[in-house]
Amino acid sequence: MNAFGWLQLALYVVVLLALARPLGTYMAAVYEGRAKFAQRLGGPLERMLYRAAGVDPAREMGWIEYALAMLWFNLLGALAVYALQRLQLALPLNPQAFAGVAADSAFNTAVSFASNTNWQGYGGESTMSYLTQLLGLAV
């Protein structure tokens, strides 16, 4: 590694160490409900999402309810990735005009990403549009 690389690494470590304490303090305040700025900034959106999902933030979930919520979330995510792949020809950010991915390949990729098995059978940049890669695969 050259001198510029070492300087960049040192600068990164200095910035990381300088931000660790204030960011950690702020995150603790957010989690404990003491961060007024965060509540004012993100509170309305958070309340809207809670209302839409039927979540009561004052009530804790049991393990069964949490497991079911996680399974529903993963199922909806897999369906969204599947839909992105199948509909990519009609969606924006597709300058190469890639056609929709075949149903079996789209299903395989969606389930692979939802289950984190990393068993894909696609050609990446030669199959998926930018939007599909951005929203479906990178997220």
Side-chain angles (χ1 to χ4, degrees):
M1 187 179 324
N2 62 17
F4 182 72
W6 284 108
L7 180 65
Q8 189 176 16
L9 183 61
L11 180 64
Y12 174 76
V13 169
V14 167
V15 170
L16 185 67
L17 291 174
L19 291 178
R21 184 79 169 190
L23 183 59
T25 303
Y26 179 71
M27 287 175 61
V30 168
Y31 295 145
E32 294 170 359
R34 296 182 286 114
K36 300 303 178 199
F37 178 72
Q39 290 171 355
R40 188 174 59 234
L41 188 64
L45 177 63
E46 183 179 42
R47 285 188 294 276
M48 182 185 71
L49 289 173
Y50 280 165
R51 199 169 334 152
V55 173
D56 179 7
R59 189 179 64 81
E60 289 194 25
M61 286 184 171
W63 72 270
I64 293 175
E65 189 178 9
Y66 180 83
L68 289 173
M70 182 198 62
L71 289 172
W72 275 111
F73 183 80
N74 277 349
L75 176 65
L76 292 175
L79 290 174
V81 172
Y82 179 82
L84 276 171
Q85 292 177 84
R86 296 289 289 155
L87 301 171
Q88 73 181 359
L89 181 61
L91 296 173
L93 293 177
N94 189 4
Q96 296 92 347
F98 288 137
V101 178
D104 58 340
S105 182
F107 179 78
N108 183 25
T109 301
V111 170
S112 172
F113 273 85
S115 62
N116 200 26
T117 55
N118 295 329
W119 185 36
Q120 297 94 31
Y122 65 90
E125 293 81 18
S126 64
T127 307
M128 307 285 182
S129 71
Y130 294 146
L131 184 71
T132 303
Q133 291 181 59
L134 178 75
L135 291 180
L137 307 184
V139 170

